[in-house]
């Protein structure tokens, strides 16, 4: 049971496993089906074990993690989850069709040549072919990170929900930097259409330029996004759900400062982009456990590769 798990630093250093994966092997969630704990994962059950409340009216302070040597082991995972939540709430999760784990700093993917027409073939005739080959160039992964300085004395009395929001904000900003690389990969090699003054007709034309694929997502800067939502055609025909803006033709509008200026990127998010990473978010866990918060680094090594060029269209505003 979760009350009997021995928590130690070594759970963070198991090859190929996250801290939660290691906990799940020791305390499988499947064993709690039909019990009041079935909706909790292994980490959340440990929070319950040590009565650490990370949200709500009775939320604890940071120092609650350090009431014992075992409960202190949970703190790095709390920090990582907060930053990851901020990271995952950004444009990256909305534009990537697939995620690949690479074992090196360079990734050599494959390329699909599917340019032959899809037509009927006479009996005994040769079918048109599509060819998959190794890419001529590798995607080089880059490292993105942040140095966090905060002494234990400065944060020990901070409520965990407030501290968690601060960490999430770091995740958001880190992801926005990474997103610029993702959007660069999307627009590279695409011949953009142009317009001197953006109109609803331009958006409709961009939507209509997709043939085999659909324009599920429209990505642009906050300035251009504000121009779009102010269009008369969108006043009564725009859907708002869970904080998302869905345009009349079904595309979700995403605004991000990572987008190129005066550029609108239309994609089919199910086919356009591959997210490649050699690491999850990496953090110096030993320092966090030992309350040495003076200089803690969080980083991720990743890159992006366009999978299907026809699933990406670009409109540039020249005015």
């Amino acid at each position: 049971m979760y009350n009997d798990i021995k928590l130690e630093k070594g759970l963070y250093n198991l090859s190929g496993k996250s801290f939660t994966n290691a906990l799940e092997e020791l305390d499988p969630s499947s064993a709690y089906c039909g019990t009041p704990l079935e909706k909790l994962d292994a980490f959340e059950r440990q929070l319950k074990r040590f009565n650490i409340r990370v949200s709500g009216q009775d939320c604890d302070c940071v120092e609650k993690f350090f009431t014992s040597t075992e409960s202190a082991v949970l703190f790095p995972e709390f920090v990582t989850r907060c930053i990851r939540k901020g990271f995952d709430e950004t444009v990256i999760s909305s534009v990537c069709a697939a995620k690949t784990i690479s074992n090196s700093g360079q990734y050599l993917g494959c390329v699909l040549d599917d340019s032959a027409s899809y037509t009927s073939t006479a009996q005994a005739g040769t079918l048109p072919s599509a060819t998959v080959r190794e890419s001529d160039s590798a995607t080089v992964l880059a490292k993105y990170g942040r140095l966090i300085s905060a002494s234990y004395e400065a944060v020990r009395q901070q409520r965990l929900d407030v501290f968690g929001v601060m960490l999430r904000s770091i995740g958001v900003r880190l992801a926005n930097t990474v997103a610029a690389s993702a959007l660069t990969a999307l627009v590279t090699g695409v011949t953009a259409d142009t317009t001197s003054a953006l109109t609803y007709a331009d958006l409709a034309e961009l939507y209509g330029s997709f043939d085999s694929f659909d324009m599920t997502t429209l990505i642009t800067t906050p300035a251009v996004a504000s121009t779009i939502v102010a269009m008369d055609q969108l006043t009564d025909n725009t859907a708002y759900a869970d904080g998302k803006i869905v345009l009349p033709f079904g595309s979700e509008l995403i605004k991000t400062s990572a987008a190129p200026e005066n550029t609108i990127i239309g994609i089919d998010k199910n086919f356009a982009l591959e997210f490649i990473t050699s690491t999850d978010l990496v953090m110096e866990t030993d320092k966090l456990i030992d309350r040495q918060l003076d200089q803690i680094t969080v980083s991720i090594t990743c890159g992006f590769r366009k999978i299907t060029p026809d699933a990406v269209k670009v409109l540039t505003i020249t005015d």
Side-chain angles (χ1 to χ4, degrees):
M1 293 293 289
Y2 69 97
N3 285 318
D4 302 320
I5 301 299
K6 176 64 175 176
L7 297 178
E8 54 189 4
K9 294 180 182 179
L11 292 172
Y12 284 100
N13 301 315
L14 298 179
S15 179
K17 296 178 184 177
S18 67
F19 178 75
T20 296
N21 291 151
L23 279 182
E24 285 286 348
E25 287 192 1
L26 298 171
D27 179 38
S29 291
S30 58
Y32 297 89
C33 291
T35 74
L37 301 179
E38 66 177 343
K39 294 184 179 181
L40 304 181
D41 65 19
F43 173 72
E44 292 166 334
R45 287 191 292 274
Q46 291 303 311
L47 293 180
K48 179 176 177 60
R49 171 187 176 184
F50 292 100
N51 194 30
I52 300 173
R53 292 159 295 193
V54 298
S55 62
Q57 183 176 352
D58 299 321
C59 178
D60 288 311
C61 295
V62 170
E63 65 181 357
K64 184 63 176 289
F65 274 103
F66 298 95
T67 55
S68 73
T69 55
E70 283 196 275
S71 62
V73 175
L74 300 172
F75 187 59
E77 178 66 7
F78 168 77
V79 173
T80 301
R81 286 191 176 208
C82 290
I83 296 176
R84 186 187 295 116
K85 185 175 181 181
F87 190 94
D88 291 343
E89 290 174 346
T90 59
V91 63
I92 294 175
S93 61
S94 301
V95 302
C96 294
K99 181 178 180 179
T100 298
I101 305 299
S102 173
N103 293 323
S104 69
Q106 295 190 4
Y107 172 73
L108 195 62
C110 56
V111 177
L112 172 65
D113 182 355
D114 195 19
S115 57
S117 299
Y118 277 78
T119 58
S120 60
T121 304
Q123 275 192 338
T126 302
L127 292 171
S129 64
T131 305
V132 178
R133 60 176 176 79
E134 192 173 66
S135 176
D136 294 329
S137 58
T139 300
V140 179
L141 308 188
K143 185 176 182 178
Y144 304 86
R146 197 70 170 173
L147 178 67
I148 305 170
S149 297
S151 69
Y152 174 68
E153 290 303 319
V155 301
R156 58 185 290 268
Q157 290 294 331
Q158 183 64 260
R159 282 171 55 102
L160 286 168
D161 53 358
V162 176
F163 188 56
V165 170
M166 294 176 184
L167 295 172
R168 279 171 55 198
S169 72
I170 292 173
V172 169
R173 291 188 175 95
L174 179 60
N176 283 339
T177 302
V178 176
S181 176
L183 300 184
T184 297
L186 282 174
V187 302
T188 299
V190 178
T191 301
D193 291 329
T194 60
T195 182
S196 58
L198 182 64
T199 65
Y200 184 75
D202 293 321
L203 299 180
E205 186 175 350
L206 183 65
Y207 171 75
S209 67
F210 283 76
D211 183 8
S212 298
F213 303 97
D214 192 16
M215 190 170 77
T216 63
T217 310
L218 208 63
I219 311 158
T220 190
T221 62
V224 176
S226 66
T227 299
I228 292 174
V229 298
M231 291 178 176
D232 292 339
Q233 294 88 344
L234 272 63
T235 303
D236 300 319
N237 298 291
T238 304
Y240 300 87
D242 299 326
K244 297 179 180 179
I245 300 175
V246 181
L247 303 181
F249 36 78
S251 302
E252 180 187 353
L253 176 63
I254 295 178
K255 66 176 180 68
T256 172
S257 58
E261 188 175 357
N262 293 325
T263 300
I264 298 172
I265 307 169
I267 67 169
D268 189 327
K269 66 178 182 180
N270 301 305
F271 296 95
L273 194 66
E274 180 180 13
F275 177 33
I276 307 138
T277 179
S278 62
T279 65
D280 194 358
L281 286 171
V282 176
M283 195 165 301
E284 297 167 288
T285 56
D286 285 356
K287 286 188 175 182
L288 287 173
I289 294 169
D290 294 336
R291 290 182 282 189
Q292 298 174 14
L293 280 66
D294 293 343
Q295 290 191 334
I296 304 299
T297 60
V298 57
S299 63
I300 185 170
T301 302
C302 61
F304 299 88
R305 189 178 72 94
K306 187 158 49 187
I307 302 174
T308 311
D310 288 346
V312 184
K313 306 291 182 182
V314 177
L315 176 64
T316 300
I317 306 166
T318 58
D319 187 8

